Amino acid sequence: MKLLMVSFLATAAFAGAATADVKISGYGRTGLVYYEDDGRLPDGANTTEISSRLRMDIKASTKTDNDLEFGAQFRMQWDQGDAGVESISPGMISVGYGGLIVYVGNVIPAFDGAPLLKQTRLGVFERSWGGDPIGRFFLGADKGYGRDENRVGVALRYTRNNLLIRASYVDPDQSGLNESASGYTEELSFAVNYKWDDFLEVTAATAQNGAGFEDNDLYFAGARYTISDVARVGINFVDNGRQLHSRQGTVGSPGNTVTIYGDYDIGKVTLSGYVANNSGEWERKQTDNSFGIGANYDLGGAVLGASLQRDYDERLYADMGVRFDF
C-alpha cells in the first residue's frame, strides 16, 4: 500500500491542475426516541426525548489533464445535546484513477464500510439494536478523534463492473506517544462485495485487531436477495471478536450474531424488520434474541419513519421522526 501511495504522489508531481469542484451535501433529522427504563436510568431521568441531527459533508475535487482525480472532504455535525464544541471531523485526502481510489486521513475503514453490514438499521434514525455488530472496530470519525489526535488511516477502494474491493489500515497513534489511544495496535481490515445483476448481492469482510485491540478479530458475511421490485430478504453473520462495544459493558464476550432481515414496499411505504440471535454473554444480557420492525413513508424529498426494537438486555426502544437529504 505504501508503494501504491508513492506511485500516485510521483505521478501527481507531473500532473496539470484543472478547475476545482466543491459540493455540500448532508441531511437533517428530528423526532422522538424512547428507551425503556429497566431500573438502570438515573432517578428522575426521562424515558422519552427529542433527538435531532444536522450533518453537512463538504467535498472538494479536481481532475488533472491526465485524469488523476484529487479530493478532500470533512464533515460538520451537530447532535442534540452537543454544546457546539468539536463538531468538525478530521479531514480526508484522496487520489484516484479509473476504478482505484486511495484515501489518507479520516478514512472509512473497510470493515465499517462493508456493504450489507448495516442493512438491518431501521427508521430515520438508522439504528439496529440487535443486527449491528457488537464487537469493537474503528469507524470513520463524524466529529473529532478526542484524545487520539495522532490517529491516521490509509484506505483503498477498487471497483470494476459489479465487484467492489476495500482495504484499510488505521493506526490509533502514529506518534507512538499517546497512551490513551483507542487501542494498542493497528487495525487492518478488508471487504469484498459482488452483485449479480439486480437480484443477488454478497459481502465478506474482516477487521484484524479491531479498534486497535490485539487479537480482537472480527468477521462478517452477508447476502441479500431481491425477490421482486418491491421485496428483498437477507441474512448476515458476524463474528464479533473479543472486545464488547461500550454499550454492552466491559464484562463478558460478544459472541456471534446471525440476523435475518427483509423489507417490502407498499406504494410510498417501506416496511422493514429483522430477527437476530447472539451467542455472547455479558452481565446485562437477558436473552439471545433481538428483533425490530420499522416503517418509512416517502414524502418526496423527505421521509417519515418509525421503529420498535428490543435488544439483548430485553430493553425496548422506539422512535419516530422525519429526515430530509440535501
Side-chain angles (χ1 to χ4, degrees):
M1 189 173 294
K2 291 182 180 178
L3 292 176
L4 182 62
M5 283 298 301
V6 170
S7 64
F8 264 103
L9 295 175
T11 305
F14 301 97
T19 304
D21 183 22
V22 180
K23 296 181 180 179
I24 298 177
S25 61
Y27 68 81
R29 72 184 187 197
T30 188
L32 297 174
V33 296
Y34 165 81
Y35 298 93
E36 182 180 15
D37 185 359
D38 60 352
R40 282 177 284 172
L41 292 177
D43 292 341
N46 294 326
T47 57
T48 302
E49 295 183 343
I50 294 175
S51 179
S52 303
R53 169 179 289 175
L54 173 61
R55 172 181 291 180
M56 299 179 67
D57 291 312
I58 296 90
K59 300 180 181 180
S61 64
T62 186
K63 198 170 186 178
T64 66
D65 294 340
N66 55 3
D67 292 331
L68 273 176
E69 186 166 355
F70 290 86
Q73 67 183 74
F74 66 93
R75 171 171 292 169
M76 300 176 65
Q77 180 168 304
W78 168 83
D79 290 288
Q80 184 67 46
D82 285 353
V85 179
E86 205 178 71
S87 60
I88 300 178
S89 76
M92 180 173 67
I93 306 295
S94 66
V95 55
Y97 182 82
L100 177 65
I101 306 176
V102 176
Y103 304 90
V104 178
N106 180 27
V107 303
I108 299 176
F111 191 85
D112 180 35
L116 302 183
L117 181 70
K118 303 168 185 176
Q119 195 64 46
T120 64
R121 294 185 172 185
L122 303 174
V124 298
F125 293 96
E126 297 178 318
R127 292 169 180 166
S128 177
W129 294 99
D132 268 2
I134 295 173
R136 298 183 66 176
F137 53 96
F138 280 123
L139 313 174
D142 292 329
K143 302 179 184 178
Y145 287 145
R147 292 179 295 178
D148 303 337
E149 66 274 6
N150 288 316
R151 170 177 155 178
V152 67
V154 179
L156 176 150
R157 187 179 191 272
Y158 176 74
T159 55
R160 182 178 177 86
N161 299 324
N162 295 331
L163 177 66
L164 167 64
I165 298 174
R166 304 182 69 144
S168 66
Y169 164 90
V170 179
D171 187 341
D173 176 31
Q174 68 169 338
S175 73
L177 301 174
N178 186 2
E179 295 181 356
S180 67
S182 299
Y184 306 102
T185 187
E186 300 84 3
E187 177 190 278
L188 188 63
S189 64
F190 303 91
V192 60
N193 177 262
Y194 191 82
K195 294 181 180 180
W196 282 270
D197 297 324
D198 294 324
F199 72 93
L200 181 62
E201 179 178 4
V202 296
T203 300
T206 182
Q208 301 293 299
N209 301 323
F213 293 95
E214 190 172 357
D215 297 327
N216 178 42
D217 302 334
L218 294 89
Y219 299 90
F220 166 75
R224 188 170 185 244
Y225 178 71
T226 300
I227 300 173
S228 67
D229 292 340
V230 298
R232 296 146 294 270
V233 296
I235 183 169
N236 285 353
F237 168 82
V238 183
D239 179 339
N240 290 290
R242 298 176 57 184
Q243 293 287 332
L244 283 164
H245 188 279
S246 58
R247 75 180 184 217
Q248 267 73 41
T250 57
V251 178
S253 166
N256 301 329
T257 303
V258 177
T259 308
I260 298 174
Y261 63 92
D263 56 88
Y264 185 78
D265 300 330
I266 305 175
K268 293 185 177 182
V269 177
T270 299
L271 303 176
S272 306
Y274 71 83
V275 176
N277 179 271
N278 175 266
S279 63
E281 295 182 1
W282 57 88
E283 58 186 359
R284 294 180 178 178
K285 189 178 183 186
Q286 301 295 320
T287 178
D288 289 342
N289 301 310
S290 173
F291 65 82
I293 54 174
N296 283 359
Y297 180 77
D298 186 0
L299 297 172
V303 174
L304 286 173
S307 76
L308 174 66
Q309 304 180 55
R310 190 192 73 175
D311 63 19
Y312 299 110
D313 300 347
E314 292 191 339
R315 189 182 186 189
L316 288 177
Y317 164 87
D319 65 53
M320 59 183 299
V322 62
R323 167 179 167 145
F324 63 92
D325 297 316
F326 57 86

PDB file of all heavy atoms in Angstrom, residues 239-259:
ATOM      1  N   ASP A 239     -18.977 -12.541  13.379  1.00  0.00           N
ATOM      2  CA  ASP A 239     -18.145 -12.964  14.498  1.00  0.00           C
ATOM      3  C   ASP A 239     -17.642 -11.670  15.122  1.00  0.00           C
ATOM      4  O   ASP A 239     -16.821 -10.957  14.540  1.00  0.00           O
ATOM      5  CB  ASP A 239     -16.984 -13.827  14.000  1.00  0.00           C
ATOM      6  CG  ASP A 239     -16.049 -14.286  15.126  1.00  0.00           C
ATOM      7  OD1 ASP A 239     -16.034 -13.641  16.197  1.00  0.00           O
ATOM      8  OD2 ASP A 239     -15.317 -15.261  14.921  1.00  0.00           O
ATOM      9  N   ASN A 240     -18.130 -11.338  16.333  1.00  0.00           N
ATOM     10  CA  ASN A 240     -17.916 -10.033  16.930  1.00  0.00           C
ATOM     11  C   ASN A 240     -16.567  -9.841  17.611  1.00  0.00           C
ATOM     12  O   ASN A 240     -16.333  -8.818  18.253  1.00  0.00           O
ATOM     13  CB  ASN A 240     -19.027  -9.748  17.949  1.00  0.00           C
ATOM     14  CG  ASN A 240     -20.364  -9.522  17.280  1.00  0.00           C
ATOM     15  OD1 ASN A 240     -20.586  -8.526  16.624  1.00  0.00           O
ATOM     16  ND2 ASN A 240     -21.277 -10.491  17.453  1.00  0.00           N
ATOM     17  N   GLY A 241     -15.676 -10.806  17.486  1.00  0.00           N
ATOM     18  CA  GLY A 241     -14.354 -10.662  18.070  1.00  0.00           C
ATOM     19  C   GLY A 241     -14.342 -10.861  19.572  1.00  0.00           C
ATOM     20  O   GLY A 241     -15.182 -11.578  20.131  1.00  0.00           O
ATOM     21  N   ARG A 242     -13.413 -10.180  20.262  1.00  0.00           N
ATOM     22  CA  ARG A 242     -13.225 -10.387  21.700  1.00  0.00           C
ATOM     23  C   ARG A 242     -13.600  -9.187  22.546  1.00  0.00           C
ATOM     24  O   ARG A 242     -13.790  -9.321  23.750  1.00  0.00           O
ATOM     25  CB  ARG A 242     -11.751 -10.729  21.964  1.00  0.00           C
ATOM     26  CG  ARG A 242     -11.274 -12.015  21.307  1.00  0.00           C
ATOM     27  CD  ARG A 242      -9.790 -12.237  21.526  1.00  0.00           C
ATOM     28  NE  ARG A 242      -9.440 -12.270  22.938  1.00  0.00           N
ATOM     29  CZ  ARG A 242      -8.195 -12.367  23.390  1.00  0.00           C
ATOM     30  NH1 ARG A 242      -7.186 -12.438  22.537  1.00  0.00           N
ATOM     31  NH2 ARG A 242      -7.952 -12.383  24.687  1.00  0.00           N
ATOM     32  N   GLN A 243     -13.707  -7.992  21.941  1.00  0.00           N
ATOM     33  CA  GLN A 243     -13.962  -6.782  22.704  1.00  0.00           C
ATOM     34  C   GLN A 243     -15.396  -6.307  22.515  1.00  0.00           C
ATOM     35  O   GLN A 243     -15.841  -6.071  21.399  1.00  0.00           O
ATOM     36  CB  GLN A 243     -12.994  -5.663  22.277  1.00  0.00           C
ATOM     37  CG  GLN A 243     -11.550  -5.923  22.632  1.00  0.00           C
ATOM     38  CD  GLN A 243     -11.301  -5.780  24.129  1.00  0.00           C
ATOM     39  OE1 GLN A 243     -11.989  -5.040  24.815  1.00  0.00           O
ATOM     40  NE2 GLN A 243     -10.299  -6.490  24.617  1.00  0.00           N
ATOM     41  N   LEU A 244     -16.139  -6.163  23.611  1.00  0.00           N
ATOM     42  CA  LEU A 244     -17.512  -5.682  23.551  1.00  0.00           C
ATOM     43  C   LEU A 244     -17.564  -4.197  23.227  1.00  0.00           C
ATOM     44  O   LEU A 244     -16.681  -3.425  23.613  1.00  0.00           O
ATOM     45  CB  LEU A 244     -18.210  -5.915  24.895  1.00  0.00           C
ATOM     46  CG  LEU A 244     -18.669  -7.334  25.208  1.00  0.00           C
ATOM     47  CD1 LEU A 244     -18.962  -7.460  26.689  1.00  0.00           C
ATOM     48  CD2 LEU A 244     -19.905  -7.686  24.401  1.00  0.00           C
ATOM     49  N   HIS A 245     -18.633  -3.819  22.509  1.00  0.00           N
ATOM     50  CA  HIS A 245     -18.929  -2.397  22.325  1.00  0.00           C
ATOM     51  C   HIS A 245     -19.253  -1.800  23.686  1.00  0.00           C
ATOM     52  O   HIS A 245     -19.760  -2.478  24.576  1.00  0.00           O
ATOM     53  CB  HIS A 245     -20.116  -2.244  21.372  1.00  0.00           C
ATOM     54  CG  HIS A 245     -20.402  -0.842  20.949  1.00  0.00           C
ATOM     55  ND1 HIS A 245     -21.105   0.031  21.724  1.00  0.00           N
ATOM     56  CD2 HIS A 245     -20.071  -0.162  19.832  1.00  0.00           C
ATOM     57  CE1 HIS A 245     -21.208   1.189  21.113  1.00  0.00           C
ATOM     58  NE2 HIS A 245     -20.587   1.103  19.951  1.00  0.00           N
ATOM     59  N   SER A 246     -19.011  -0.509  23.852  1.00  0.00           N
ATOM     60  CA  SER A 246     -19.148   0.121  25.170  1.00  0.00           C
ATOM     61  C   SER A 246     -20.561   0.017  25.727  1.00  0.00           C
ATOM     62  O   SER A 246     -20.757  -0.053  26.933  1.00  0.00           O
ATOM     63  CB  SER A 246     -18.741   1.596  25.078  1.00  0.00           C
ATOM     64  OG  SER A 246     -19.532   2.285  24.129  1.00  0.00           O
ATOM     65  N   ARG A 247     -21.588   0.013  24.862  1.00  0.00           N
ATOM     66  CA  ARG A 247     -22.946  -0.020  25.392  1.00  0.00           C
ATOM     67  C   ARG A 247     -23.297  -1.393  25.973  1.00  0.00           C
ATOM     68  O   ARG A 247     -24.289  -1.539  26.678  1.00  0.00           O
ATOM     69  CB  ARG A 247     -23.949   0.369  24.300  1.00  0.00           C
ATOM     70  CG  ARG A 247     -24.222  -0.691  23.250  1.00  0.00           C
ATOM     71  CD  ARG A 247     -25.217  -0.198  22.222  1.00  0.00           C
ATOM     72  NE  ARG A 247     -25.569  -1.228  21.269  1.00  0.00           N
ATOM     73  CZ  ARG A 247     -25.792  -1.011  19.983  1.00  0.00           C
ATOM     74  NH1 ARG A 247     -25.687   0.200  19.492  1.00  0.00           N
ATOM     75  NH2 ARG A 247     -26.125  -1.997  19.175  1.00  0.00           N
ATOM     76  N   GLN A 248     -22.504  -2.429  25.675  1.00  0.00           N
ATOM     77  CA  GLN A 248     -22.739  -3.746  26.258  1.00  0.00           C
ATOM     78  C   GLN A 248     -21.985  -3.924  27.571  1.00  0.00           C
ATOM     79  O   GLN A 248     -22.095  -4.964  28.206  1.00  0.00           O
ATOM     80  CB  GLN A 248     -22.306  -4.848  25.280  1.00  0.00           C
ATOM     81  CG  GLN A 248     -23.425  -5.353  24.390  1.00  0.00           C
ATOM     82  CD  GLN A 248     -23.779  -4.348  23.327  1.00  0.00           C
ATOM     83  OE1 GLN A 248     -22.910  -3.729  22.743  1.00  0.00           O
ATOM     84  NE2 GLN A 248     -25.053  -4.180  23.064  1.00  0.00           N
ATOM     85  N   GLY A 249     -21.198  -2.953  27.977  1.00  0.00           N
ATOM     86  CA  GLY A 249     -20.414  -3.101  29.195  1.00  0.00           C
ATOM     87  C   GLY A 249     -19.066  -3.729  28.895  1.00  0.00           C
ATOM     88  O   GLY A 249     -18.718  -4.000  27.742  1.00  0.00           O
ATOM     89  N   THR A 250     -18.294  -3.992  29.911  1.00  0.00           N
ATOM     90  CA  THR A 250     -16.931  -4.478  29.723  1.00  0.00           C
ATOM     91  C   THR A 250     -16.734  -5.902  30.219  1.00  0.00           C
ATOM     92  O   THR A 250     -15.632  -6.427  30.161  1.00  0.00           O
ATOM     93  CB  THR A 250     -15.945  -3.559  30.479  1.00  0.00           C
ATOM     94  OG1 THR A 250     -16.305  -3.518  31.863  1.00  0.00           O
ATOM     95  CG2 THR A 250     -15.975  -2.152  29.919  1.00  0.00           C
ATOM     96  N   VAL A 251     -17.777  -6.531  30.713  1.00  0.00           N
ATOM     97  CA  VAL A 251     -17.650  -7.877  31.256  1.00  0.00           C
ATOM     98  C   VAL A 251     -18.358  -8.861  30.337  1.00  0.00           C
ATOM     99  O   VAL A 251     -19.545  -8.721  30.064  1.00  0.00           O
ATOM    100  CB  VAL A 251     -18.255  -7.975  32.678  1.00  0.00           C
ATOM    101  CG1 VAL A 251     -18.140  -9.402  33.199  1.00  0.00           C
ATOM    102  CG2 VAL A 251     -17.554  -7.002  33.614  1.00  0.00           C
ATOM    103  N   GLY A 252     -17.623  -9.876  29.835  1.00  0.00           N
ATOM    104  CA  GLY A 252     -18.259 -10.898  29.035  1.00  0.00           C
ATOM    105  C   GLY A 252     -17.674 -10.998  27.639  1.00  0.00           C
ATOM    106  O   GLY A 252     -16.627 -10.442  27.332  1.00  0.00           O
ATOM    107  N   SER A 253     -18.389 -11.734  26.787  1.00  0.00           N
ATOM    108  CA  SER A 253     -17.952 -11.997  25.421  1.00  0.00           C
ATOM    109  C   SER A 253     -19.036 -11.571  24.440  1.00  0.00           C
ATOM    110  O   SER A 253     -20.224 -11.820  24.669  1.00  0.00           O
ATOM    111  CB  SER A 253     -17.673 -13.498  25.253  1.00  0.00           C
ATOM    112  OG  SER A 253     -17.559 -13.848  23.896  1.00  0.00           O
ATOM    113  N   PRO A 254     -18.671 -10.942  23.292  1.00  0.00           N
ATOM    114  CA  PRO A 254     -19.687 -10.504  22.332  1.00  0.00           C
ATOM    115  C   PRO A 254     -20.254 -11.632  21.486  1.00  0.00           C
ATOM    116  O   PRO A 254     -21.321 -11.479  20.884  1.00  0.00           O
ATOM    117  CB  PRO A 254     -18.949  -9.486  21.467  1.00  0.00           C
ATOM    118  CG  PRO A 254     -17.517  -9.906  21.544  1.00  0.00           C
ATOM    119  CD  PRO A 254     -17.329 -10.457  22.933  1.00  0.00           C
ATOM    120  N   GLY A 255     -19.557 -12.770  21.383  1.00  0.00           N
ATOM    121  CA  GLY A 255     -20.075 -13.927  20.666  1.00  0.00           C
ATOM    122  C   GLY A 255     -20.291 -13.676  19.181  1.00  0.00           C
ATOM    123  O   GLY A 255     -19.730 -12.768  18.572  1.00  0.00           O
ATOM    124  N   ASN A 256     -21.157 -14.509  18.575  1.00  0.00           N
ATOM    125  CA  ASN A 256     -21.516 -14.399  17.163  1.00  0.00           C
ATOM    126  C   ASN A 256     -22.980 -13.971  17.036  1.00  0.00           C
ATOM    127  O   ASN A 256     -23.804 -14.293  17.886  1.00  0.00           O
ATOM    128  CB  ASN A 256     -21.332 -15.728  16.437  1.00  0.00           C
ATOM    129  CG  ASN A 256     -19.899 -16.231  16.511  1.00  0.00           C
ATOM    130  OD1 ASN A 256     -18.958 -15.438  16.558  1.00  0.00           O
ATOM    131  ND2 ASN A 256     -19.736 -17.544  16.530  1.00  0.00           N
ATOM    132  N   THR A 257     -23.291 -13.274  15.941  1.00  0.00           N
ATOM    133  CA  THR A 257     -24.658 -12.822  15.693  1.00  0.00           C
ATOM    134  C   THR A 257     -25.112 -13.273  14.306  1.00  0.00           C
ATOM    135  O   THR A 257     -24.384 -13.080  13.321  1.00  0.00           O
ATOM    136  CB  THR A 257     -24.770 -11.292  15.772  1.00  0.00           C
ATOM    137  OG1 THR A 257     -24.309 -10.847  17.055  1.00  0.00           O
ATOM    138  CG2 THR A 257     -26.203 -10.837  15.569  1.00  0.00           C
ATOM    139  N   VAL A 258     -26.300 -13.860  14.238  1.00  0.00           N
ATOM    140  CA  VAL A 258     -26.935 -14.213  12.972  1.00  0.00           C
ATOM    141  C   VAL A 258     -28.237 -13.433  12.870  1.00  0.00           C
ATOM    142  O   VAL A 258     -29.050 -13.457  13.797  1.00  0.00           O
ATOM    143  CB  VAL A 258     -27.227 -15.726  12.880  1.00  0.00           C
ATOM    144  CG1 VAL A 258     -27.951 -16.040  11.569  1.00  0.00           C
ATOM    145  CG2 VAL A 258     -25.934 -16.533  12.967  1.00  0.00           C
ATOM    146  N   THR A 259     -28.424 -12.714  11.763  1.00  0.00           N
ATOM    147  CA  THR A 259     -29.591 -11.857  11.593  1.00  0.00           C
ATOM    148  C   THR A 259     -30.279 -12.150  10.264  1.00  0.00           C
ATOM    149  O   THR A 259     -29.613 -12.201   9.219  1.00  0.00           O
ATOM    150  CB  THR A 259     -29.195 -10.367  11.628  1.00  0.00           C
ATOM    151  OG1 THR A 259     -28.417 -10.106  12.790  1.00  0.00           O
ATOM    152  CG2 THR A 259     -30.433  -9.487  11.634  1.00  0.00           C
TER     153      THR A 259
END
